[in-house]
Amino acid sequence: NVTVGPHAYHPSSDAIVYGLVLKTMLKDTPKVMIVSALLIVFFVFLDFRKVLATLVVVTPIFLGVLWMLGMMWMANIQFNFFNIIIIPAVLGMSIDNSIHIFHRYKELGPGSLSRVLSSTGLAALLASLTNASAFVGLLFCNHRGLFSIGELAVFGVATCLLSTLVFFPALLEFFEKVRIERKRPFHQ
C-alpha cells in the first residue's frame, strides 16, 4: 500500500507484485532452510536413535551445501526467485547417500570402507548422477531463472556427492582409528 495524503493506493503492476513476492521469499528463506535442516536431522535421528550417529550422517550433507554456497560466492551466483528452492531439494536428495553408506558400513563393520564404497558408494554415485542429470537440461535454457535452478542443483548435488564419497569415509576412518586407539593400553 502506498499512502499519498488522505488516499491509499494499491499498486498492482507485475514488477511490484514480483518485487513483493521476491521480498517475501527471501525473508522466509532462512526459516525454510532451518525447518528443512531440522526435519532432516529429526528423521535421521529416528532412523539411528543416537545423537553421534545422526551428526555423523548429516555432516557431509551440510558440508556439501557449504561448499555449494562457496561455489556460488566464487562464481558470483546470487539467490533469486527461482533457484532459492534448490537448497532444501539438494538436502533431501543428498541425505539418502549418507544414510545408505552409513547403514552399509554398520552392517559390514570396521575395516569395510573399501567394500562399502565399491558397492553402496557406486550406488550413491549413480543416484546422484541421475538426480543431477534431471537438472542438466535447465543449463540449456535461455531463461536465466530456470538456468540458475539447474546451475545450483548441479553444483549442490555434486558438492554433496563429493562430500559424501570423500569426506564421509575419511570421517568414518577417523572414528575407527579413535576407537582402536582407545582400546590400546598406554604402554604400547
Side-chain angles (χ1 to χ4, degrees), residues 44-76:
V44 172
F45 179 77
L46 285 181
D47 184 20
F48 293 105
R49 305 260 189 228
K50 294 182 179 172
V51 173
L52 183 59
T54 299
L55 293 175
V56 166
V57 169
V58 299
T59 296
I61 302 311
F62 293 129
L63 181 62
V65 170
L66 282 175
W67 289 351
M68 181 191 76
L69 294 172
M71 288 180 72
M72 286 177 65
W73 178 76
M74 289 188 314
N76 198 27

Side-chain angles (χ1 to χ4, degrees), residues 18 78 80-86 138 141-152:
Y18 174 78
Q78 304 294 316
N80 61 43
F81 178 75
F82 295 94
N83 67 17
I84 203 80
I85 63 167
I86 289 303
L138 295 173
C141 289
N142 289 326
H143 188 278
R144 298 308 299 166
L146 294 176
F147 177 86
S148 72
I149 290 173
E151 189 175 40
L152 241 54

